[in-house]
């Protein structure tokens, strides 16, 4: 609930900005979100490569990966399908 109060406060503050400042704020937020997403994707890729290199991930064909995903979706309680 505290986060909601903080968000409400930020939104209230943003509404006090001029229209140009609001538009600039939106653009800044979009840019920062995009940057954060790219950084997260890059980090996930590094983790995946490290797991692959240590043998934690196996090579699969697309068909095998799709089948494994379908098996999981049909029974998500199974640990290793």
């Amino acid at each position: 609930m505290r986060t909601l109060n903080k968000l409400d406060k930020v939104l209230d503050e943003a509404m006090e900005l001029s229209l140009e400042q609001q538009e600039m704020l939106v653009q800044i937020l979009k840019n920062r979100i995009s940057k954060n997403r790219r950084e997260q994707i890059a980090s996930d890729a590094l983790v995946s490569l490290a797991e692959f290199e240590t043998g934690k991930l196996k090579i699969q064909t697309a068909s095998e990966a799709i089948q494994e995903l379908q098996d999981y979706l049909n029974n998500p309680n199974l640990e290793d399908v």
Side-chain angles (χ1 to χ4, degrees), residues 3 11 14 18 20 23 29 35 42-43 51-52 61:
T3 303
L11 290 172
S18 69
E20 284 181 2
E23 290 172 344
L29 287 171
K35 180 180 179 260
S43 175
E51 289 178 348
F52 177 75
T61 66

Side-chain angles (χ1 to χ4, degrees), residues 47-64:
V47 169
S48 295
L49 285 172
E51 289 178 348
F52 177 75
E53 290 171 355
T54 59
K56 290 183 180 178
L57 296 177
K58 63 180 180 177
I59 296 174
Q60 291 181 309
T61 66
S63 297
E64 291 169 335

Side-chain angles (χ1 to χ4, degrees), residues 8 30 44 49-50 66 69:
D8 285 337
K30 284 181 178 181
D44 290 347
L49 285 172
I66 291 169
L69 179 59

Side-chain angles (χ1 to χ4, degrees), residues 23-51:
E23 290 172 344
M24 195 177 347
L25 176 62
V26 168
Q27 192 59 46
I28 291 168
L29 287 171
K30 284 181 178 181
N31 290 341
R32 289 186 180 185
I33 289 168
S34 293
K35 180 180 179 260
N36 288 341
R37 282 187 180 142
R38 285 191 302 273
E39 289 173 354
Q40 185 62 51
I41 290 168
S43 175
D44 290 347
L46 289 174
V47 169
S48 295
L49 285 172
E51 289 178 348

